[in-house]
Coordinates of all heavy atoms in Angstrom, one line a residue:
Chain A
T959 N -10.0 -70.1 -140.7 CA -9.9 -68.7 -140.2 C -9.3 -67.7 -141.4 O -8.2 -68.1 -141.9 CB -9.1 -68.5 -139.0 OG1 -9.5 -69.4 -138.0 CG2 -9.1 -67.1 -138.4
V979 N -5.9 -49.3 -137.8 CA -7.3 -49.3 -137.8 C -7.9 -50.6 -138.5 O -8.8 -51.2 -137.9 CB -7.9 -48.0 -138.6 CG1 -9.4 -48.0 -138.8 CG2 -7.4 -46.8 -137.9
W982 N -7.1 -53.8 -136.4 CA -8.0 -53.8 -135.2 C -9.4 -54.3 -135.6 O -10.1 -55.1 -134.9 CB -8.1 -52.4 -134.6 CG -8.9 -52.3 -133.2 CD1 -10.0 -51.5 -133.1 CD2 -8.7 -53.0 -132.0 NE1 -10.5 -51.7 -131.9 CE2 -9.7 -52.5 -131.2 CE3 -7.8 -53.9 -131.6 CZ2 -9.9 -53.0 -129.8 CZ3 -7.8 -54.4 -130.3 CH2 -8.9 -53.9 -129.4
L985 N -9.2 -58.1 -136.3 CA -9.2 -58.8 -135.0 C -10.6 -58.9 -134.4 O -11.0 -59.9 -133.9 CB -8.3 -58.2 -133.9 CG -6.7 -58.3 -134.2 CD1 -6.0 -57.4 -133.4 CD2 -6.3 -59.7 -134.3
G986 N -11.3 -57.8 -134.5 CA -12.6 -57.7 -133.9 C -13.7 -58.7 -134.6 O -14.6 -59.1 -134.1
N987 N -13.3 -58.9 -135.9 CA -14.2 -59.7 -136.7 C -13.5 -61.2 -136.8 O -14.0 -62.0 -137.6 CB -14.2 -59.2 -138.1 CG -15.1 -58.0 -138.2 OD1 -15.7 -57.5 -137.2 ND2 -15.5 -57.5 -139.4
G988 N -12.6 -61.5 -135.9 CA -12.1 -62.9 -135.9 C -11.2 -63.2 -136.9 O -11.0 -64.4 -137.2
G1061 N -11.4 -40.6 -131.2 CA -11.3 -41.7 -130.1 C -10.2 -42.6 -130.5 O -10.1 -43.7 -129.8
P1063 N -6.4 -44.0 -130.2 CA -5.4 -43.7 -129.3 C -4.0 -43.5 -130.0 O -3.9 -43.8 -131.3 CB -5.2 -45.0 -128.6 CG -5.9 -46.1 -129.5 CD -6.8 -45.4 -130.4
E1067 N -0.2 -47.1 -127.9 CA -1.3 -47.6 -127.3 C -2.1 -48.5 -128.2 O -2.6 -49.6 -127.9 CB -2.2 -46.6 -126.7 CG -3.2 -47.0 -125.6 CD -4.0 -45.8 -125.2 OE1 -3.5 -44.7 -125.2 OE2 -5.1 -46.1 -124.8
Y1068 N -2.3 -48.0 -129.4 CA -3.0 -48.8 -130.4 C -2.3 -50.1 -130.8 O -3.0 -51.1 -130.8 CB -3.0 -47.9 -131.8 CG -4.3 -47.9 -132.5 CD1 -4.8 -46.9 -133.1 CD2 -5.2 -49.1 -132.6 CE1 -6.1 -46.8 -133.9 CE2 -6.3 -49.1 -133.2 CZ -6.8 -48.0 -134.0 OH -7.9 -48.1 -134.5
M1071 N -2.9 -52.6 -128.1 CA -4.3 -53.1 -128.2 C -4.3 -54.3 -129.3 O -5.0 -55.3 -129.0 CB -5.3 -52.0 -128.7 CG -5.9 -51.2 -127.5 SD -6.6 -49.5 -128.3 CE -7.7 -50.2 -129.5
D1074 N -2.5 -57.2 -127.7 CA -3.4 -57.9 -126.8 C -4.6 -58.6 -127.4 O -5.2 -59.6 -126.9 CB -4.0 -56.8 -125.8 CG -3.0 -56.2 -124.8 OD1 -1.9 -56.9 -124.7 OD2 -3.1 -55.2 -124.2
G1075 N -5.0 -58.1 -128.6 CA -6.0 -58.8 -129.4 C -5.5 -60.0 -130.1 O -6.3 -60.6 -130.9
Chain B
L420 N -15.1 -51.9 -129.5 CA -14.3 -52.6 -128.5 C -13.6 -51.6 -127.5 O -13.5 -51.9 -126.3 CB -13.4 -53.5 -129.2 CG -13.9 -54.6 -130.0 CD1 -12.8 -55.5 -130.7 CD2 -14.8 -55.6 -129.2
R421 N -13.1 -50.6 -128.1 CA -12.4 -49.6 -127.2 C -13.3 -49.0 -126.2 O -12.9 -48.7 -125.1 CB -11.6 -48.6 -128.0 CG -10.7 -47.7 -127.2 CD -9.8 -47.0 -128.0 NE -9.2 -45.9 -127.4 CZ -8.2 -45.8 -126.5 NH1 -7.6 -47.0 -126.2 NH2 -7.7 -44.8 -126.0
T431 N -8.3 -55.4 -122.9 CA -8.4 -55.9 -124.2 C -8.2 -57.5 -124.3 O -8.9 -58.2 -124.9 CB -7.4 -55.3 -125.2 OG1 -7.6 -53.8 -125.1 CG2 -7.5 -55.6 -126.7
K432 N -7.1 -57.9 -123.5 CA -6.7 -59.3 -123.5 C -7.9 -60.1 -123.0 O -8.3 -61.1 -123.5 CB -5.6 -59.5 -122.6 CG -4.3 -59.7 -123.3 CD -3.2 -60.1 -122.3 CE -1.9 -60.0 -123.0 NZ -0.7 -60.0 -122.2
F435 N -10.9 -60.3 -125.3 CA -10.6 -61.3 -126.5 C -10.7 -62.7 -126.0 O -10.9 -63.6 -126.8 CB -9.2 -61.0 -127.2 CG -9.5 -60.0 -128.3 CD1 -9.5 -58.6 -128.0 CD2 -9.5 -60.3 -129.6 CE1 -9.6 -57.6 -129.1 CE2 -9.6 -59.3 -130.6 CZ -9.7 -58.0 -130.3
K440 N -12.2 -65.0 -131.1 CA -12.4 -65.1 -132.4 C -13.5 -64.1 -132.9 O -14.5 -64.4 -133.4 CB -12.7 -66.4 -133.0 CG -11.5 -67.4 -132.8 CD -11.7 -68.6 -133.6 CE -10.3 -69.4 -133.6 NZ -10.3 -70.5 -134.5
G441 N -13.2 -62.9 -132.7 CA -14.2 -61.8 -133.2 C -15.0 -61.2 -132.2 O -16.2 -61.3 -132.4
P442 N -14.5 -60.6 -131.1 CA -15.4 -60.0 -130.0 C -16.3 -58.9 -130.5 O -17.4 -58.8 -130.1 CB -14.4 -59.5 -129.0 CG -13.1 -59.4 -129.7 CD -13.1 -60.4 -130.8
A443 N -15.9 -58.2 -131.5 CA -16.7 -57.0 -131.9 C -18.1 -57.6 -132.4 O -19.2 -57.1 -131.9 CB -16.1 -56.3 -133.1
K444 N -18.1 -58.6 -133.3 CA -19.4 -59.2 -133.8 C -20.1 -59.9 -132.6 O -21.3 -59.8 -132.5 CB -19.1 -60.1 -134.9 CG -18.9 -59.3 -136.2 CD -18.8 -60.3 -137.4 CE -18.7 -59.7 -138.7 NZ -18.5 -60.6 -139.7
K445 N -19.3 -60.7 -132.0 CA -19.9 -61.7 -131.0 C -20.6 -60.9 -129.9 O -21.8 -61.2 -129.5 CB -18.9 -62.7 -130.4 CG -18.5 -63.7 -131.3 CD -17.7 -64.8 -130.8 CE -17.4 -65.8 -131.9 NZ -16.4 -66.8 -131.5
K454 N -24.7 -54.2 -135.6 CA -23.2 -54.1 -135.8 C -22.7 -52.9 -135.1 O -23.2 -51.8 -135.3 CB -23.0 -54.1 -137.4 CG -21.7 -54.7 -137.8 CD -21.7 -54.6 -139.3 CE -20.4 -55.3 -139.8 NZ -20.5 -55.2 -141.3
C458 N -14.9 -47.3 -135.8 CA -13.7 -48.0 -136.2 C -12.7 -48.5 -135.0 O -12.0 -49.3 -135.2 CB -12.9 -47.4 -137.2 SG -13.8 -47.2 -138.8
V459 N -12.8 -47.8 -133.9 CA -11.8 -48.1 -132.8 C -12.5 -48.8 -131.7 O -11.9 -49.6 -131.1 CB -11.2 -46.8 -132.3 CG1 -10.0 -47.0 -131.5 CG2 -11.0 -45.8 -133.5

Side-chain angles (χ1 to χ4, degrees):
Chain A
T959 306
V979 177
W982 181 242
L985 291 169
N987 285 7
E1067 198 182 331
Y1068 218 146
M1071 276 161 53
D1074 290 345
Chain B
L420 293 181
R421 186 163 160 83
T431 304
K432 258 189 192 165
F435 274 79
K440 295 197 171 185
K444 280 184 172 176
K445 282 190 183 170
K454 211 173 180 178
C458 293
V459 198

